[in-house]
Amino acid sequence: GGDHTITYPILQALAAKHGPVGLVHVDAHSDTGDVALGEKIYHGSPFRRCVEERLLDCGRVVQIGLRGSSYDPHAHKYCLEQGFRVVPAEECWMKSLEPLMREVRAQMGDKPVYISFDIDGLDPAYAPGTGTPEIAGLTPAQALEIIRGCKGLNIVGCDLVEVSPMYDVSGNTALLGANLLFEMLCVLPGVKTL
């Protein structure tokens, strides 16, 4: 739950301990906006604020599942200028993400990594209970491939955000979110799984 703004203070705390961290970010949106309604801190800006404060190791940031509407004709320009790896949703359609995650593990190396998963990274057919749904997203199986593909990384924290149960009377979004959080706990360093 919570909106993506919560990731910003978490990364401030983690960077104070570990220095700039890598980021595996699953989302329909890059969340690198600058200002909305006169505010610099909102759910669409946390990663721009993190870049400005040097909380992220920008060469070790990957954003997976980006798609949908934007206020800018060059929606990923800022991200690419920072050195982020951007994997739009259409590059994920109808295929396994295991090969991508092998590349991500190599990119992240053994330095600290944070996982930030916005539920709207998934297609609203699976996760309608969110405030900014975008069609043509990832599947739950691909979400598992991403999270399980992080096993072995030096993960120092993780979150799952933007679940809004009131928008999903079936309860499936909350169920999916809870299961994805469980999967994140299972890939933390030192956790033994069967």
Side-chain angles (χ1 to χ4, degrees), residues 30 32 48 51 58-59 61-63 66 73-88 91 107:
S30 70
T32 55
R48 182 179 288 247
V51 167
C58 293
V61 172
V62 61
Q63 296 182 302
L66 303 187
H74 307 289
H76 310 312
K77 182 175 184 244
Y78 176 85
C79 304
L80 296 170
E81 288 173 347
Q82 307 315 308
F84 296 3
R85 180 174 182 181
V86 174
V87 183
E91 291 181 20
Q107 178 182 358

Side-chain angles (χ1 to χ4, degrees), residues 116-137:
S116 189
F117 201 116
D118 187 323
I119 201 72
D120 74 19
L122 298 178
D123 191 273
Y126 306 107
T130 189
T132 52
E134 300 283 0
I135 65 163

Side-chain angles (χ1 to χ4, degrees), residues 160-184:
L160 185 131
V161 298
E162 302 282 351
V163 173
S164 185
M166 69 182 191
Y167 294 138
D168 180 5
V169 296
S170 73
N172 286 340
T173 308
L175 176 66
L176 184 53
N179 277 274
L180 294 177
L181 279 171
F182 174 78
E183 293 283 337
M184 287 184 213

